Amino acid sequence: MSVQSSVPLATREDLALAYTPGVAQVCEAIADDESLVHELTWVGRAVAVVTDGSAVLGLGNIGPRAAMPVMEGKAVLFKQFGGVDAVPICLDTQDPDEIVAIVTALAPSFGGINLEDISAPRCFDIERRLEATLPIPVFHDDQHGTAIVVLAALRNAARVLGRDLRDLRIVVSGAGAAGVAVTKMLISGGADAGEIVVLDSQGCLHTGRTDLNPEKAALAATTNAGGITGDIANALRGADVLIGVSGGTIGETALAGMSPGGAIFALANPTPEVHPEIAARYAAVVATGRSDFPNQINNVLAFPGIFRGALDAGATRITDGMKVAAANAIAEVLAEGELSTGAIVPSALDPRVAPAVAAAVAAAARRDGVLR
């Protein structure tokens, strides 16, 4: 990564404009009208990529310094695919109050905040508090980026299979940041909440459990209308779709109970919950989070275009409508002739994706009335 000037600095006149005395005129203009900061500085196209290093990839709580390579990579992807300047910021605290205070203090320097690799359930509270405080988009990518791409992929999987999203029985294995967000996103996108069963390490979420944190309890109240209890084998009996966002291994005995001709999205990285070769024995459509198998569920399909669209529109937050619009745009990049069981999402390198997502998100921001 590097920082480069967008204007030449070759002469004394260039320097006088880029710094003193010319820059003082810009400072005075912004002091008179703070909204000009989005036009006259890089704030309107800059995002902070913020982590506390508590839940990095599949590596866990490795701390802020070891998390920096991932944040740098994220910043590079922002620039490459969305034309968005991003700055990696690794905080040496895992206290939610301190994180909220620090990010709030940093916010005037940025047009958006991308929270990254912050463990659940702390991430839910941190994101909610920042959304309520800041007049700029706040987006925890581990939750919403994954969820948006899963919705896009499942829409297209349903098209390939000749099914309707609302008629699918869906099992979500994992009730952390990604699992909660995926479930909410699927419901927002049209899936039947009652036909979704979510599991954590103790089994199915249902209203009879007394050991659930508030996020899980809210899911239990809106999903699993049949009151299924027990383990993954119980949940998968007759299910059409398995979405794995938990790690661990799901055995073939459990998979054998699924309805034939469905879909398995085993998204744990680097080791999927179900190896694709095994998953193919029990499902017609198989997806993973890995780049060396077909149908990679990759967040890079979502976040560059989402922030590009939000910044272009001058959005103050990212609504559920904007997220669903992003998912639909990703799904629709693939024309009917491009869709197959081995291609339900575009390639992460497909140049059509970010512009399509940005346009859809900007339009949704205008519809939802969340413009600056």
Side-chain angles (χ1 to χ4, degrees), residues 50 55 74 113-131 138-151 172 174-186 215 219 243 245 267 297-299 302-303 306-307 318 320 323 327:
V50 180
K74 197 87 173 192
I113 305 294
N114 184 97
L115 301 175
E116 189 76 18
D117 292 345
I118 299 174
S119 63
R122 297 158 52 256
C123 61
F124 304 122
D125 176 54
I126 290 168
E127 183 185 49
R128 269 195 296 264
R129 291 167 64 185
L130 288 172
E131 281 182 327
V138 177
F139 185 84
H140 185 215
D141 189 52
D142 303 281
Q143 293 181 61
H144 310 301
T146 300
I148 286 164
V149 182
V150 166
L151 175 58
V172 179
V180 171
V182 164
T183 304
K184 291 179 178 179
M185 189 83 258
L186 292 176
E215 293 291 337
L219 280 189
I243 299 172
V245 282
L267 305 183
I297 307 300
N298 192 326
N299 289 17
F303 67 81
I306 288 170
F307 273 95
I318 296 174
D320 286 346
K323 295 169 193 172

Side-chain angles (χ1 to χ4, degrees), residues 231-274:
D231 61 9
I232 188 73
N234 285 357
L236 284 175
R237 200 165 292 121
D240 302 298
V241 178
L242 165 62
I243 299 172
V245 282
S246 62
T249 301
I250 298 174
E252 289 193 63
T253 303
L255 299 174
M258 292 182 67
S259 292
I264 294 176
F265 296 178
L267 305 183
N269 247 327
T271 306
E273 293 88 347
V274 184

Side-chain angles (χ1 to χ4, degrees), residues 17-44:
L17 286 173
Y19 199 50
T20 184
V23 74
Q25 296 180 36
V26 185
C27 295
E28 289 173 338
I30 295 170
D32 290 337
D33 180 359
E34 288 191 351
S35 68
L36 291 176
V37 73
H38 295 274
E39 300 171 30
L40 302 183
T41 74
W42 84 332
V43 166

Side-chain angles (χ1 to χ4, degrees), residues 55-62 70 117 142 268-271:
V56 180
L57 297 176
L59 304 175
N61 188 355
I62 60 175
V70 179
D117 292 345
D142 303 281
N269 247 327
T271 306

Side-chain angles (χ1 to χ4, degrees), residues 44 109-110 116 147-148 173-174 187 201 212 231 246 263 272 304 336 348 351 354:
S109 297
F110 299 99
E116 189 76 18
I148 286 164
S173 177
I187 295 169
S201 60
L212 303 178
D231 61 9
S246 62
E336 204 65 43

